[in-house]
């Protein structure tokens, strides 16, 4: 009888140990899967293709997508694209003599993504550790008033994620409000395409508002450098850059912030 009891005891211990081991392995696999799923960043690009009444073409500025993309993609992050209307995003600054532009444009996977952007309604903000608003003059017409994308950015930020933008991309930041009712940029150091740069390209009377002025009105502590100088500002998981020359450095600054969250 003792032999049978001992056998049953050992048998039960083996089953229990196996169950615990399976549960631990399963939990570990789920944790790894969750971490893998969270290595995603959402890039926002404009759907607008004309500079106001001028009829001149515009869109997202290629270098302001490709340079941050290269930094973040090579660091192991998956990049998804969303635009206000979804679908094909109009492109500006199409210069394939820039090696990074060419690298991005020739990447079949990402070329397909930017030519087939998601609609805001198709995005789950919980899938992303960061959001990045690419510039290009088109952003001035369809970023600021897009409540759906603003809500996505607010959610990502309040999930302890990073919000970032470059050049005219910060147009997407001007109306983002957090759950406490305050503007995201309120009280934070901020940067964007400056009023002087807008005047230099002779579009100060074409764009629907002055981006620098609007960010200051929202409580942002605006910083800037001279025309076309690289300038990147980071403050409380908000990363912004002044112009196309700042795009690569914005990607690097976002990566620094993301490493702090691990």
């Amino acid at each position: 009888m003792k032999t049978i009891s001992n056998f049953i005891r050992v048998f039960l211990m083996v089953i229990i140990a196996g169950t615990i081991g399976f549960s631990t392995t399963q939990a570990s696999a789920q944790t790894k899967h969750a971490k893998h799923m969270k290595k995603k960043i959402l890039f926002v690009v404009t759907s607008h293709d004309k500079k106001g009444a001028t009829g001149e073409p515009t869109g997202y500025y290629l270098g302001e997508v490709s340079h941050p993309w290269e930094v973040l993609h090579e660091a192991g992050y998956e990049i998804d694209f969303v635009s206000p209307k979804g679908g094909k995003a109009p492109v500006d600054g199409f210069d394939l003599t820039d090696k990074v532009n060419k690298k991005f444009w020739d990447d079949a996977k990402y070329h397909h993504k930017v030519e087939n952007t998601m609609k805001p309604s198709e995005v789950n903000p919980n899938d992303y550790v960061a959001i990045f608003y690419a510039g290009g003059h088109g952003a001035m017409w369809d970023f600021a008033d897009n409540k759906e994308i603003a809500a996505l950015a607010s959610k990502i930020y309040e999930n302890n994620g990073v919000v970032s933008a470059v050049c005219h991309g910060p147009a997407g930041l001007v109306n983002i409000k957090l759950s406490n009712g305050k503007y995201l940029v309120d009280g934070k150091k901020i940067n964007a395409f400056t009023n002087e740069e807008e005047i230099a390209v002779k579009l100060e009377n074409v764009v629907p508002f002055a981006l620098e002025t609007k960010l200051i009105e929202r409580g942002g502590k605006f910083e800037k450098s001279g025309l076309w100088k690289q300038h990147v500002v980071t403050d409380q998981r908000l990363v912004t850059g002044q112009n196309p020359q700042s795009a690569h450095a914005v990607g690097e600054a976002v990566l620094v912030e993301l490493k702090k969250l691990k």
Side-chain angles (χ1 to χ4, degrees):
M1 291 294 290
K2 275 187 177 181
T3 304
I4 294 172
S5 297
N6 288 338
F7 175 78
I8 292 172
R9 191 180 297 114
V10 171
F11 180 72
L12 289 172
M13 287 174 68
V14 169
I15 291 174
I16 292 168
T19 302
I20 291 171
F22 175 75
S23 298
T24 303
T25 303
Q26 188 178 42
S28 177
Q30 287 175 345
T31 301
K32 288 179 180 179
H33 181 65
K35 285 182 178 179
H36 175 72
M37 289 297 289
K38 290 290 284 182
K39 291 207 69 167
K40 294 180 74 176
I41 298 171
L42 186 65
F43 273 36
V44 186
V45 290
T46 183
S47 297
H48 192 84
D49 64 356
K50 292 288 188 296
K51 294 176 183 174
T54 66
E56 294 179 13
T58 188
Y60 71 87
Y61 202 81
L62 182 56
E64 292 172 26
V65 165
S66 68
H67 284 262
W69 165 82
E70 182 185 49
V71 172
L72 298 168
H73 176 57
E74 290 189 354
Y77 288 89
E78 176 77 11
I79 311 297
D80 287 340
F81 290 87
V82 65
S83 64
K85 293 181 179 178
K88 183 178 173 67
V91 60
D92 198 4
F94 192 76
D95 177 13
L96 295 187
T97 63
D98 178 321
K99 292 180 180 178
V100 180
N101 280 353
K102 182 170 174 53
K103 180 180 177 180
F104 172 78
W105 201 251
D106 288 347
D107 187 301
K109 175 181 176 180
Y110 282 98
H111 190 159
H112 177 80
K113 282 191 173 189
V114 82
E115 296 278 282
N116 297 273
T117 64
M118 292 186 291
K119 294 178 181 178
S121 60
E122 297 172 323
V123 177
N124 180 357
N126 296 318
D127 291 342
Y128 300 94
V129 294
I131 185 170
F132 167 73
Y133 288 86
H137 268 95
M140 293 295 289
W141 279 270
D142 67 355
F143 274 12
D145 295 326
N146 192 288
K147 294 179 180 179
E148 291 178 289
I149 298 179
L152 294 173
S154 178
K155 181 68 174 176
I156 290 169
Y157 187 78
E158 294 192 328
N159 280 347
N160 202 40
V162 177
V163 174
S164 57
V166 71
C167 199
H168 289 93
L173 308 180
V174 301
N175 288 323
I176 296 175
K177 282 190 175 182
L178 303 177
S179 55
N180 61 10
K182 290 186 176 181
Y183 287 108
L184 170 65
V185 302
D186 189 12
K188 296 183 181 73
K189 291 184 289 186
I190 192 81
N191 189 221
F193 202 68
T194 67
N195 289 348
E196 290 86 356
E197 285 170 325
E198 206 68 80
I199 290 168
V201 296
K202 296 180 170 53
L203 290 171
E204 74 276 15
N205 295 318
V206 175
V207 291
F209 60 92
L211 182 51
E212 175 187 334
T213 302
K214 184 67 72 176
L215 289 166
I216 292 170
E217 287 174 1
R218 295 293 191 249
K221 298 177 180 179
F222 200 89
E223 294 186 359
K224 59 183 173 181
S225 295
L227 299 177
W228 326 126
K229 299 292 184 182
Q230 177 182 305
H231 193 131
V232 175
V233 179
T234 300
D235 192 355
Q236 301 173 61
R237 291 181 289 110
L238 177 63
V239 179
T240 46
Q242 183 169 319
N243 44 38
Q245 290 76 9
S246 307
H248 181 86
V250 166
E252 292 180 324
V254 169
L255 191 57
V256 168
E257 291 303 291
L258 289 171
K259 286 178 179 178
K260 290 178 184 178
L261 304 179
K262 291 180 178 179

